[in-house]
Amino acid sequence: MKSHAKVVIIGGGVVGCSVLFHLARHGWTDVVLLERDELTSGSTWHAAGGMHTINGDPNVAKLQKYTINLYKEIEELSGQATGVHLTGGVLLAATEARLDWLRGVVAKGRYLGIELEEISPNEAAELMPLLDPKQFVGAVRNKEDGHLDPSGVTHAYAKAARKLGAEVERFTKVEDIVRRPDGLWRVITNKGEVVAEHVVNAGGLWAREVGRMVGLELPVLAMEHMYLITEDMPEVAAWNAKTGTEIIHAVDFDGELYLRQERGGMLMGTYEKANKPWSEYQTPWNFGHELLEPDIDRIAPSLEVGFRHFPAFQNTGIKQIINGPFTFAPDGNPLVGPVRGLPGFWVACGVMAGFSQGGGVGLALSNWMIEGDPGADIWAMDVARYGDWATMAYTNAKVRENYSRRFSIRFPNEELPAGRPLKTTPVYDLLSAKGAQWGVAYGLEVPLWYAPEGVKDEFSWRRSSDFTQVAKEVATVRDGVGLSEISSFAKYKVTGERAAAWLDRMLACKLPKPGRMTLAPMLKQDGRLIGDFTLANLGEDGWFLAGSGIAEQYHMRWFEKHLPDDGSVRIEALGAKLTGLSIAGPKARDVLAKATRSDVSNAAFSFMAIGRMDIGMAPCLVGRVSYTGDLGYEIWVAPEYQRAAYQALMAAGEEFGIGLFGSRALNALRLDKNYGSWGREYRPIYGPLEAGLDRFVAYGKDADFIGKAAALAERRQGGKLRLRAFIVDADDADVIGDEPIWFDGAVRGWVTSGGYAHHSKKSVAVGYVPKEIADESDGFEIELLGKRHAARIQAVPLFDANFERMRA
């Protein structure tokens, strides 16, 4: 075994071998993979081997498509058979709600290049003869589903990597990982140690244990997962003889089942409600090519549905039940990327769907290591989406919930209860008493809307029980004054003698003067958006940044990567140290003036001003800005004072009819203004010109901000896309994001977000289209729940197009 390597990969499952191959293919051949046993000895060897392109996140779906297309290449390069069977498949709906969801999947496939087709139950039965069409209301055909040989694929990755110059060391157990003073890593094994610049944790079932070696507690948990293999079935033999093809895959979402042919019989797997974690706290190192004891009683309810939906199973025997552990993250997506605070330490774990996602994970991680960027928008897989609130107990609760809902519908207005409430603000109980219906953002409870007594969310793809009440909350803001809780924003404090110069390089905006704020895009080297913030100059107190709460860890990782080594700049994520309230509406100044002795007149405290003032008895930092697009103020206050500030504002606002509004009303209000948001409109695949943020980029400032050259090139060349707002002729449902935008009969773009703008009484969609058609007045349609609706570009905001209200 070599004593030094550029990269050490820990774990010889499909993911580790994929990372090894992709690094070698990119030219990094000084790479060694360490496996404590044989390759595939964790979850890989007993996997069912299915593969599919469908994923809730379109960017992950692209990587899954890449993974499936990659298998031919690695088979040819390695000479190792992968056993790929591209049979195609059917996705089945037993309810109208599920069929609505499938129609959304078909629509999403149109702009992803995934060929999907809605078909009838009878047509599905013609393709998959074992199902009973009377049990279903519709289906979708997918030509890119299939299955493979898990061992063959893993060895193909490994053999291809070896041919390219990488190395594999089997029976080499990693016992410790130690960071040296010079930043290199000592990977200590039972055969000696390897010193490496980079370490990749692809430990699978042992990812927690590998993480703990460097002081990291990863949010992953293994679950027992069962599938059965039947005896040979005459129906299978008859189909094979008649058509010369295998029986295609089937996913029965309402039965929580997946099926495929296995030799002369069938394989049926389930994600049962009565699920069971495996080895919750510590994975035994001596676990290898073993299976767990089957528990058919636990999966019996799912099997009963399966035998009813697929009657041929009633007449055959079960040859084998496979029960083995697979690891999951709380939301079911992988954990991929660099770990904040551990330079050179990377993770690629929690990849439950390894044969659908393993190739894409390997590609993204290798790009990230070599080029400094994953080369794709992989936020849904980024390890930075979790913070320290994702404890072991939280992970246990959410993984169990996610597993039990693997094939369940997640409606757009549905909030899942497991692991909640965990983080709350000091006014949580006061807002709950007012009927707050809670969601969660980065672990923190956030008020979505305020329900009258006896009313709560009814989950649906269509406008639901919150619709009327959210309209009232919007009217409260537009006609008077509303208060919202905004602690879910990420807050940062930047100080130090070189803080201004550092911010000038990090952010693309012109730095504001003391007592002023500005909108601040942040770019990567390639000129794409990696963040958007509000930047405030607090004078002697330093600088204050506010941004997307879900991206706090993501942005801190970026900030810390670029900090100078001499300590001249310090940045702190304030998190729960600072809570927030916001008031907005034409009477907002009246409320603030009554609650404070400070002068908040327009002359003294104009739009985008910021300063410290007491609200009641509570010391606060107040900025005159509002995401509602109305006259408004954001109020930042230490948690011990938040209740006092809230009560002072509510008391001051009583004579002005103050009311509470939640994030759903805020969404409706920002749609009035064509405002975008991080994670939807602003993501690292769009440039500032494309996203409409170029007016906030100080192209001519002296500072050579990150991404400046690329941003200037985008401005010269015009980019490829444009962000546009559309008014949609909708019926009883509104877009939620990821719907296709049609133009002149062809899919040309995609929706990033939207909803109903209650004040303007319009259904609004926001999305990207090619710049060549971005100013066309006619010809647009947006597909929603299987129907194309006429849409028109709304070039100027529906509300306060001249920005008079917010500046008044």
Side-chain angles (χ1 to χ4, degrees):
M1 182 176 71
K2 59 168 57 178
S3 61
H4 290 75
K6 191 171 186 68
V7 184
V8 168
I9 299 166
I10 303 171
V14 65
V15 175
C17 291
S18 171
V19 174
L20 184 76
F21 164 72
H22 281 90
L23 285 172
R25 189 175 69 170
H26 281 65
W28 277 22
T29 56
D30 185 15
V31 182
V32 59
L33 182 148
L34 306 180
E35 165 55 45
R36 68 183 180 89
D37 203 326
E38 288 280 8
L39 299 182
T40 79
S41 291
S43 299
T44 298
W45 75 273
H46 60 73
M51 56 184 184
H52 55 274
T53 54
I54 301 302
N55 188 279
D57 185 285
N59 297 291
V60 177
K62 291 177 185 177
L63 291 178
Q64 292 184 184
K65 183 178 175 65
Y66 164 82
T67 298
I68 293 172
N69 292 336
L70 179 65
Y71 289 135
K72 182 179 179 181
E73 177 185 338
I74 62 169
E75 186 172 82
E76 292 175 350
L77 180 59
S78 66
Q80 167 72 50
T82 58
V84 169
H85 297 247
L86 276 176
T87 62
V90 286
L91 310 174
L92 301 166
T95 66
E96 290 296 334
R98 173 62 68 184
L99 189 56
D100 280 343
W101 178 81
L102 285 177
R103 286 168 176 153
V105 172
V106 172
K108 191 183 301 182
R110 297 194 204 283
Y111 69 81
L112 292 174
I114 299 173
E115 188 176 349
L116 303 168
E117 178 189 7
E118 182 181 345
I119 59 177
S120 70
N122 287 332
E123 289 172 316
E126 292 175 4
L127 297 169
M128 204 289 184
L130 304 185
L131 66 83
D132 177 4
K134 295 189 293 294
Q135 303 293 328
F136 302 99
V137 298
V140 165
R141 183 183 184 187
N142 181 7
K143 295 183 178 179
E144 296 184 77
D145 277 5
H147 61 275
L148 44 70
D149 171 21
S151 177
V153 164
T154 305
H155 283 281
Y157 277 129
K159 288 181 179 180
R162 282 196 194 101
K163 284 189 173 183
L164 294 169
E167 298 181 28
V168 174
E169 293 286 345
R170 299 173 302 150
F171 306 106
T172 306
K173 180 190 172 190
V174 175
E175 297 177 337
D176 202 2
I177 307 170
V178 179
R179 192 174 183 208
R180 302 195 325 184
D182 62 1
L184 298 179
W185 295 93
R186 294 173 56 212
V187 183
I188 301 166
T189 80
N190 61 334
K191 293 182 178 179
E193 68 176 61
V194 187
V195 176
E197 183 180 341
H198 300 276
V199 174
V200 178
N201 178 0
L205 292 175
W206 295 269
R208 289 179 306 181
E209 282 65 35
V210 174
R212 288 167 185 163
M213 293 176 186
V214 296
L216 180 66
E217 189 65 40
L218 288 166
V220 291
L221 176 69
M223 299 292 291
E224 294 190 13
H225 180 69
M226 281 180 278
Y227 61 86
L228 62 84
I229 298 172
T230 71
E231 302 284 357
D232 288 354
M233 299 172 65
E235 295 87 350
V236 171
W239 179 264
N240 296 162
K242 174 184 174 183
T243 66
T245 63
E246 291 182 79
I247 289 182
I248 65 174
H249 281 223
V251 177
D252 178 2
F253 289 100
D254 301 280
E256 299 166 337
L257 302 163
Y258 60 89
L259 304 92
R260 69 167 176 83
Q261 184 172 333
E262 174 67 15
R263 298 185 185 275
M266 292 293 294
L267 180 152
M268 177 187 284
T270 179
Y271 289 89
E272 70 279 8
K273 299 295 185 188
N275 53 67
K276 183 179 179 182
W278 177 77
S279 194
E280 295 179 67
Y281 310 112
Q282 189 88 26
T283 305
W285 285 104
N286 59 358
F287 184 81
H289 281 83
E290 296 100 357
L291 291 172
L292 307 177
E293 191 67 28
D295 184 359
I296 196 167
D297 291 338
R298 206 167 75 235
I299 63 173
S302 295
L303 297 184
E304 289 176 9
V305 176
F307 290 179
R308 184 171 69 252
H309 287 187
F310 303 88
F313 280 80
Q314 299 172 18
N315 305 317
T316 191
I318 297 174
K319 182 166 64 175
Q320 186 179 12
I321 297 178
I322 305 294
N323 185 17
F326 288 89
T327 55
F328 294 77
D331 60 4
N333 277 338
L335 301 175
V336 179
V339 176
R340 178 190 165 201
L342 295 173
F345 191 86
W346 306 76
V347 296
C349 55
V351 190
M352 183 279 304
F355 296 100
S356 296
Q357 298 174 344
V361 168
L363 175 68
L365 195 67
S366 63
N367 284 338
W368 216 334
M369 296 173 73
I370 296 170
E371 305 293 341
D373 187 272
D377 185 355
I378 67 160
W379 168 251
M381 300 194 297
D382 196 321
V383 66
R385 70 188 187 275
Y386 291 107
D388 58 7
W389 45 270
T391 61
M392 184 181 290
Y394 170 90
T395 298
N396 190 305
K398 295 305 288 186
V399 168
R400 296 187 70 168
E401 178 184 64
N402 178 270
Y403 184 98
S404 70
R405 294 178 53 88
R406 177 78 179 158
F407 287 155
S408 298
I409 294 173
R410 174 75 182 271
F411 291 101
N413 62 335
E414 183 176 7
E415 298 296 322
L416 303 183
R420 298 177 52 206
L422 177 57
K423 292 200 301 181
T424 60
T425 63
V427 297
Y428 177 80
D429 60 327
L430 300 179
L431 301 185
S432 293
K434 296 288 189 179
Q437 304 298 297
W438 297 94
V440 66
Y442 201 62
L444 180 69
E445 296 293 317
V446 295
L448 302 172
W449 63 291
Y450 292 85
E453 189 172 350
V455 179
K456 54 183 163 181
D457 265 331
E458 296 173 1
F459 305 139
S460 173
W461 297 110
R462 291 168 168 79
R463 296 170 188 160
S464 189
S465 51
D466 67 334
F467 188 80
T468 301
Q469 188 61 28
V470 170
K472 292 178 180 178
E473 293 175 25
V474 168
T476 294
V477 174
R478 289 287 186 246
D479 299 338
V481 58
L483 182 148
S484 64
E485 214 280 358
I486 59 169
S487 300
S488 61
F489 280 98
K491 291 84 61 180
Y492 311 90
K493 182 179 181 180
V494 184
T495 56
E497 61 187 70
R498 293 180 56 197
W502 181 76
L503 286 166
D504 216 12
R505 170 163 167 70
M506 295 298 296
L507 303 174
C509 63
K510 181 180 179 181
L511 299 190
K513 295 178 180 180
R516 303 296 298 171
M517 297 183 292
T518 190
L519 297 180
M522 185 165 69
L523 310 181
K524 300 184 297 165
Q525 284 86 351
D526 64 0
R528 303 293 179 176
L529 290 162
I530 198 171
D532 73 304
F533 302 91
T534 301
L535 171 67
N537 186 338
L538 303 182
E540 293 182 357
D541 290 338
W543 302 80
F544 176 74
L545 277 171
S548 172
I550 61 171
E552 179 185 291
Q553 191 90 336
Y554 175 82
H555 285 138
M556 281 299 290
R557 184 177 64 193
W558 180 260
F559 290 141
E560 290 173 348
K561 177 182 177 181
H562 292 89
L563 282 176
D565 296 330
D566 60 6
S568 60
V569 181
R570 297 175 295 279
I571 183 166
E572 179 186 5
L574 298 172
K577 294 179 182 178
L578 199 63
T579 56
L581 301 167
S582 175
I583 54 173
K587 297 180 182 178
R589 181 185 289 114
D590 297 327
V591 173
L592 185 60
K594 189 173 181 180
T596 184
R597 296 182 61 190
S598 299
D599 185 353
V600 294
S601 65
N602 193 46
F605 202 67
S606 60
F607 178 61
M608 297 303 276
I610 190 165
R612 299 193 183 277
M613 62 184 72
D614 294 345
I615 293 179
M617 295 184 290
C620 301
L621 177 66
V622 179
R624 189 178 154 185
V625 67
S626 175
Y627 195 49
T628 64
D630 217 314
L631 170 66
Y633 305 86
E634 290 181 351
I635 299 157
W636 303 106
V637 55
E640 60 266 32
Y641 297 120
Q642 192 193 28
R643 290 175 73 94
Y646 167 81
Q647 290 166 336
L649 289 166
M650 293 300 286
E654 187 172 357
E655 69 172 278
F656 303 106
I658 195 169
L660 298 173
F661 69 101
S663 61
R664 291 184 182 167
L666 183 61
N667 184 61
L669 291 161
R670 66 101 182 176
L671 291 173
D672 271 336
K673 297 291 292 181
N674 293 359
Y675 287 167
S677 64
W678 175 256
R680 301 301 289 178
E681 285 70 46
Y682 311 141
R683 296 186 74 145
I685 52 176
Y686 307 122
L689 176 62
E690 293 177 328
L693 294 181
D694 54 312
R695 65 189 185 278
F696 303 113
V697 175
Y699 293 100
K701 73 176 181 176
D702 292 337
D704 187 21
F705 60 86
I706 295 173
K708 183 176 183 178
L712 284 167
E714 182 202 30
R715 187 168 68 161
R716 287 194 304 269
Q717 296 161 10
K720 296 180 179 179
L721 303 170
R722 291 293 184 272
L723 182 65
R724 291 290 183 262
F726 297 84
I727 305 302
V728 186
D729 292 344
D731 297 327
D732 60 346
D734 306 291
V735 302
I736 58 175
D738 298 330
E739 295 87 357
I741 300 173
W742 293 72
F743 180 75
D744 280 355
V747 173
R748 301 294 305 278
W750 55 89
V751 172
T752 50
S753 69
Y756 193 79
H758 289 273
H759 178 74
S760 303
K761 295 181 172 52
K762 303 289 186 182
S763 186
V764 178
V766 183
Y768 282 90
V769 295
K771 66 179 180 182
E772 292 79 14
I773 61 171
D775 298 315
E776 295 288 339
S777 56
D778 298 311
F780 288 103
E781 296 173 301
I782 292 178
E783 186 172 350
L784 179 58
L785 299 178
K787 180 180 176 183
R788 284 152 61 177
H789 299 262
R792 299 167 303 285
I793 287 179
Q794 182 65 29
V796 298
L798 290 164
F799 171 77
D800 191 27
N802 295 321
F803 298 91
E804 295 173 355
R805 277 270 283 260
M806 67 165 57
R807 298 177 183 274

